[in-house]
Amino acid sequence: LMDRLQQAYGQLEAFNADVAHELRTPLATLIGETEVALSRERSPEALRETLQSNLEEMQRLSALVNDMLFLSQADRGVAARRGAPVSLANLAAQVSEFHEATLEDAGLALRIDGDATLPVDEPLVKRALSNLLGNATRYAAPGTTIAIEIREDAERCEACAPQVVLEVGNRGPGIDAEHLPRLFDRFYRADAARLQADGNHGLGLAIVAAIARLHGGRCFAQSRDGVTRIGMELPKGL
């Protein structure tokens, strides 16, 4: 019991340090740009540029806070609000439309393979898919195709309940085996410099894992032969 308490305390300390680190950079930027703007007379155009930059930083802060609140609610055992059975392929198609411009800018194609019908919390599953697709887009090699695959996996083992697998795969730099188990940890970065450069705050895959748990499922990550697959397994009997 004491060992578990000590481990929990260590995790809490690490989480607090990570949160402070993530908040420090945008706050420093906001303070610095505001101080510069107030230091002397500026044209309306210059002030407008400062306000636009500050707005982007505040939106980043807002997204970070909202993600942290969601994870806190998930930790408290908030259940997914499952509706009528829906086509996961249809949900994937809706999410892909939102990412269409980003995929085009990155020189990537997208395909959706397979389908399954499940009673899920649609907004949560779409959020998980969006995070997975955004992650794949970030690391996929230009000119390749990102694949969203949906399949039933009933033969994993005789004692296992049938599962529906929802995964997003991309070709690009592989992920070393030692990083795979930690990809879903909050604020974990296998490539810190690259993630910081594109503004990612390291909670996207943690949210995917939380959404999988809320549906009674689990998350997984595989990377071999230049192909990385990250996704969720959801019980077919939801």
Side-chain angles (χ1 to χ4, degrees), residues 104-126:
E104 184 177 351
D105 290 343
L108 299 169
L110 175 70
R111 73 171 190 268
I112 300 172
D113 297 330
D115 193 11
T117 301
L118 283 180
V120 297
D121 186 317
E122 290 188 40
L124 289 185
V125 171
K126 288 168 70 173

Side-chain angles (χ1 to χ4, degrees), residues 33-165:
E33 291 191 354
T34 303
E35 288 176 343
V36 170
L38 294 173
S39 64
R40 59 183 174 83
E41 290 293 329
R42 289 183 170 271
S43 66
E45 291 76 14
L47 289 174
R48 187 175 296 108
E49 290 180 3
T50 298
L51 288 174
Q52 181 62 43
S53 175
N54 286 354
L55 177 61
E56 292 174 359
E57 292 297 332
M58 286 186 285
Q59 289 172 335
R60 180 185 175 192
L61 281 171
S62 178
L64 174 59
V65 170
N66 287 337
D67 285 348
M68 289 168 57
L69 286 174
F70 172 81
L71 289 171
S72 176
Q73 292 170 350
D75 287 344
R76 293 200 302 268
V78 176
R81 298 179 179 177
R82 297 166 185 155
V86 295
S87 163
L88 296 183
N90 286 343
L91 295 185
Q94 295 173 31
V95 172
S96 65
E97 289 179 3
F98 178 78
H99 288 263
E100 186 175 343
T102 304
L103 290 165
E104 184 177 351
D105 290 343
L108 299 169
L110 175 70
R111 73 171 190 268
I112 300 172
D113 297 330
D115 193 11
T117 301
L118 283 180
V120 297
D121 186 317
E122 290 188 40
L124 289 185
V125 171
K126 288 168 70 173
R127 184 175 186 179
L129 269 171
S130 183
N131 287 358
L132 290 171
L133 186 52
N135 185 77
T137 302
R138 195 173 298 117
Y139 293 108
T144 60
T145 298
I146 293 176
I148 300 177
E149 184 174 348
I150 305 163
R151 66 181 185 275
E152 295 186 11
D153 187 9
E155 300 179 356
R156 196 157 45 103
C157 70
E158 291 184 1
C160 298
Q163 303 284 313
V164 171
V165 177

